Amino acid sequence: AHTKTHLLLQAHFCRAMLPCPDYGTDTKTVLDQAIRICQAMLDIAAHHGWLLTALNITNLVQMVIQGRWIHDSSLLTLPNIEQPHLYIFRKWNQGKRKGNHTGPIECLPELIAACEGKENIFTSIVGNELQSTQILQIGRA
C-alpha cells in the first residue's frame, strides 16, 4: 500500500498518464488523504515550533495541490503551459528593457512584472505558440 501510494504521488507530481482508470480513482483518494495528513503534521510542527519542518510540509502541500514538483518552474502552474513552452518565456525580451522587467522570464513574478497587467503584452510573449482560447484560459487563472 505504501509503495503504491508513493508511486501514485510521483505520477501526480510528474503529471504522468496512469495505465488504468482505477489508478485515477486511487490517486484522488491518496491526494485527499495526503492533504489531511499534511495538515495534521503542520499543526504538530507549528505547536512544537519546528519551522523548517513546517516549511517542508507546506512545500509538500503545495506540490500535492498543484500537481508539480517544488523545483518545477512556477510558470508550469498556468493552464496549458507545459515544459516545452518554457522556452517561449526564456527567449522573450532578449535583455531589452520593457516595463518593469529586464531579461528572460523564469517565474510567475517575472511574468507579472513583464506584462504589467496588460493582456496584449502577454499575447506578444506567447506569440503563435498558444491558441487564443488557451490564452484566455491563462488570463482567467
Side-chain angles (χ1 to χ4, degrees), residues 18-126:
L18 299 172
C20 73
D22 289 344
Y23 287 153
T25 305
D26 293 345
T27 300
K28 184 178 179 341
T29 302
V30 165
L31 295 177
D32 290 342
Q33 297 295 329
I35 299 261
R36 292 192 322 193
I37 292 168
C38 286
Q39 287 171 335
M41 290 169 49
L42 189 56
D43 288 344
I44 292 168
H47 175 75
H48 289 286
W50 300 333
L51 178 61
L52 185 58
T53 301
L55 291 173
N56 286 331
I57 294 167
T58 303
N59 285 340
L60 180 58
V61 170
Q62 182 177 348
M63 289 169 51
V64 169
I65 290 172
Q66 293 180 341
R68 292 283 182 193
W69 292 102
I70 198 68
H71 60 270
D72 283 351
S73 170
S74 56
L75 295 168
L76 294 172
T77 61
L78 293 171
N80 306 308
I81 301 296
E82 296 296 333
Q83 195 74 34
H85 295 116
L86 293 180
Y87 82 93
I88 299 167
F89 302 102
R90 291 188 183 123
K91 72 175 182 162
W92 187 77
N93 213 359
Q94 301 298 327
K96 297 176 189 148
R97 178 91 176 139
K98 291 201 181 177
N100 297 325
H101 182 74
T102 303
I105 297 168
E106 299 287 342
C107 61
L108 276 177
E110 291 176 357
L111 178 61
I112 292 167
C115 290
E116 301 174 332
K118 299 175 184 165
E119 187 177 329
N120 63 325
I121 295 175
F122 179 76
T123 303
S124 72
I125 293 171
V126 295

Side-chain angles (χ1 to χ4, degrees), residues 10-22:
Q10 301 287 315
H12 176 67
F13 300 149
C14 295
R15 298 200 175 178
M17 296 298 296
L18 299 172
C20 73
D22 289 344

